[in-house]
Amino acid sequence: MTDAEQQYESSNPLYEKSYPSNGAAEPAGESEPQPDAQQPQFPNDEAFAAAQLTLRALVSSKEAGVIIGKQGKNVADLREATGVKAGVSKPVPGVHDRVLSVTGTLEGVAKAYSMAAQTLIDSPPPSASSLASGTTSIRLLISHNQMGTIIGRQGLKIKAIQDECSVRMVASKEMLPNSTERIVEVQGGAESIRLAVWEIGKCLVEDWQRATGTILYNPQPKEFGSGGYSGPRARTGNPADFESPDGADQTQNIAIPADMVGCIIGRGGAKIQEIRRVSGARISIAKQPHDESGERMFTIRGTSDENERALFMLYEQLEHEKVRRQMEDQEQDE
């Protein structure tokens, strides 16, 4: 593998990894999930086109203004042309990002993101100055548990999407704060972005069950979340937001890096016991790694609210451990 293929993107603090389209092997840790017989089957593109999907993207405040347009004209035209429901989250003081949410058929969602991309190309905000003429960037929010489906074994799927759609894709390695979502950035022209969103959407609708229990990213000031769990957050899935009967138990599997398992279990099992007690969920931990990545599978069982509390606490503990290790590394460097 060349030095260029090993280079990590440094344009933002997520330490993103760019996947080359030359067939180079992907780093360990991302593996395509095995087919699930219970998942819906899509025999052809017509079936995919009609599948329901909610796909969110992170946009800057200036990009949001361009997408919305004067008096909401641009987003209204987008809704009328594609038949989707689309909107941008309200601005939060001191926060420069907002969330664009698009819900509809896969065909409509892909077209909607293409229209949003074309609007950004026609009226680029200052932040887009570094991109090539006629191109823009869309930062899609993807559930951590679905990333393996998009990346594929040895990165083959994400490389294929890049080649077929003439886009550049960058998958973040870290989850966004207080959430279980990661960013997949797609760079290219409007039509290329439409094709890429179509291919990504096909992966998501086939693998919708893995998205159940996702803690959605909600842009907040940096100090947000320090006080602990703030209540259940919306779940996402495909078709849009599947719900189970109130009180019905659900099962959620999440993979935890092997070197982080200890911080979640805690000394003498104290931390995992606390998570079980506070969340009300039953949590079991696989004794052995579930694949060559070395990750251990955590199985969470409980009501939707109990599972979401447990997921939030698990990922909050991971965030705390990452910060602790970063500070430790900085002290060693000094």
Side-chain angles (χ1 to χ4, degrees), residues 201-268:
K202 285 166 65 176
C203 295
L204 298 179
V205 297
E206 281 193 309
D207 197 32
W208 66 266
Q209 287 180 321
R210 284 178 176 263
T212 303
T214 298
I215 300 174
L216 303 181
Y217 178 59
N218 183 25
Q220 293 287 341
K222 288 184 179 180
E223 63 270 17
F224 176 80
S226 59
Y229 184 71
S230 58
R233 298 193 179 195
R235 293 180 298 131
T236 185
N238 297 307
D241 295 336
F242 276 81
E243 296 291 345
S244 294
D246 290 342
D249 277 1
Q250 301 174 356
T251 299
Q252 174 74 26
N253 294 316
I254 61 169
I256 301 294
D259 67 336
M260 297 293 244
V261 171
C263 80
I264 291 178
I265 295 175
R267 184 170 296 179

Side-chain angles (χ1 to χ4, degrees), residues 114 117-118 121 134-136 165-167 187-194:
S114 175
Q118 188 61 59
I121 291 170
T135 68
T136 191
C165 305
S166 299
V167 295
Q187 300 174 6
E191 177 59 15
S192 294
I193 286 175
R194 184 189 71 80

Side-chain angles (χ1 to χ4, degrees), residues 57-65 68 87-92 95-101 139 141 217 219:
L58 204 59
V59 296
S60 68
S61 296
K62 291 181 179 179
E63 288 172 334
I68 294 170
V88 179
S89 63
K90 294 180 180 180
V92 176
V95 177
H96 300 295
D97 282 330
R98 297 167 69 179
V99 175
L100 168 64
S101 182
R139 294 179 292 162
L141 294 170
Y217 178 59

Side-chain angles (χ1 to χ4, degrees), residues 57-79:
L58 204 59
V59 296
S60 68
S61 296
K62 291 181 179 179
E63 288 172 334
V66 173
I67 293 170
I68 294 170
K70 291 183 178 180
Q71 298 180 334
K73 182 181 186 304
N74 291 345
V75 74
D77 290 345
L78 181 151
R79 293 175 186 140

